[in-house]
Amino acid sequence: TTENVFKGLLVCADCGVKMVRHKNVTPKGTARYSFGCLVYAQNLGGQGCSHKYVREPELAEAVALALRVQVQLALDMEEVLGKVWKQRGCQTKDKELDCRIGKLQAGIKRNAALRGTLFESYTEHTLTEKEYVSMKAEYDREAQELKEKLSILEKEKQEAGRVYENWEGWINTLKKYQDFRSVTREMAVELISCIRVSGHHELEIVWNFQDVFAGLMAEWKGAGA
């Protein structure tokens, strides 16, 4: 029995149940493998499923071809984003965020210093009680507003960094398979979320990095590539 590279990854597009691998032996003793929908087989289509069928050699070939396309996209995107997005977009945005964060941090320090001297002015009778209460309330409001803005910018910077790390991570993951000869079990599990089968050899591959690549494509187009 050969290794079931795509075990647990094929699902019926109708019922969503994982498809099972079948072994057929030819009169000459050659083993041939295929995948089918167990629900359809057991109920003869009575549960709303239509006949699903895909032979393992054709499946492996289709996945290998699709993966080579994804690898080439990753290589193309790395080249374009390395020149355009990373240098012009990412670094410029980082500098802009750092500048805005720096200004807010300076504002918070200035506010804290002013609040610190406020009580001194009151005790030295350079401010009336009414003026002190009014100014303290204003400084407190400003301090809260500055802290909220700073929190938003810090989260924005953190998210931007995380998104780039995700993109870079998946590009590097695909790059390590650029010279693969055939799809292995390790590759299939790492790269594929599922393969939906909707008919006779009709496949839809859902990659684990689908959303990441959608974002990359949008950024790539936005960069004018």
Side-chain angles (χ1 to χ4, degrees):
T1 301
T2 61
E3 182 183 22
N4 187 357
V5 173
F6 303 103
K7 181 180 180 180
L9 295 176
L10 271 74
V11 297
C12 172
D14 286 334
C15 65
V17 172
K18 292 181 179 179
M19 298 179 69
V20 295
R21 189 191 195 208
H22 300 287
K23 178 181 179 181
N24 295 307
V25 181
T26 67
K28 293 183 179 181
T30 303
R32 293 179 177 175
Y33 297 91
S34 61
F35 292 85
C37 177
L38 189 61
V39 171
Y40 174 82
Q42 292 177 341
N43 297 280
L44 300 177
Q47 299 299 315
C49 278
S50 58
H51 184 44
K52 312 290 186 312
Y53 176 79
V54 58
R55 288 188 295 270
E56 191 171 68
E58 283 81 354
L59 170 64
E61 183 179 353
V63 172
L65 178 61
L67 180 53
R68 288 190 178 93
V69 171
Q70 296 298 316
V71 170
Q72 188 57 53
L73 277 174
L75 294 173
D76 292 342
M77 287 176 181
E78 181 184 44
E79 182 179 357
V80 172
L81 293 174
K83 294 177 181 178
V84 181
W85 188 85
K86 186 177 180 180
Q87 295 177 2
R88 185 189 66 192
C90 179
Q91 291 182 3
T92 300
K93 187 173 182 178
D94 272 352
K95 289 178 181 178
E96 179 188 343
L97 286 172
D98 285 340
C99 181
R100 292 167 64 188
I101 287 173
K103 288 181 179 179
L104 283 174
Q105 290 173 335
I108 289 173
K109 288 182 180 179
R110 179 181 58 81
N111 176 276
L114 289 172
R115 282 190 296 164
T117 60
L118 189 62
F119 186 71
E120 292 180 15
S121 298
Y122 172 62
T123 56
E124 292 174 357
H125 305 292
T126 56
L127 288 176
T128 66
E129 181 178 355
K130 183 177 180 180
E131 289 173 333
Y132 168 75
V133 171
S134 176
M135 292 179 70
K136 184 178 183 303
E138 178 61 23
Y139 285 147
D140 288 344
R141 183 197 62 76
E142 183 187 58
Q144 183 60 32
E145 185 178 300
L146 288 170
K147 288 178 181 178
E148 289 175 357
K149 288 181 178 179
L150 179 61
S151 177
I152 291 172
L153 287 182
E154 287 177 337
K155 287 180 180 178
E156 185 179 343
K157 183 175 180 179
Q158 184 179 21
E159 180 62 25
R162 184 162 49 245
V163 168
Y164 178 72
E165 287 174 4
N166 288 340
W167 292 357
E168 187 177 46
W170 278 115
I171 286 177
N172 289 335
T173 297
L174 285 169
K175 279 175 61 182
K176 72 182 182 182
Y177 294 124
Q178 59 185 307
D179 297 320
F180 81 95
R181 294 185 177 181
S182 60
V183 180
T184 65
R185 176 63 180 170
E186 178 187 0
M187 292 167 60
V189 171
E190 182 177 16
L191 302 175
I192 300 173
S193 174
C194 70
I195 302 173
R196 297 193 185 101
V197 184
S198 56
H200 182 67
H201 290 90
E202 295 177 11
L203 310 173
E204 178 192 357
I205 302 173
V206 181
W207 305 98
N208 282 328
F209 50 86
Q210 202 106 321
D211 292 341
V212 177
F213 259 95
L216 271 171
M217 289 299 288
E219 187 66 41
W220 195 19
K221 292 178 180 178

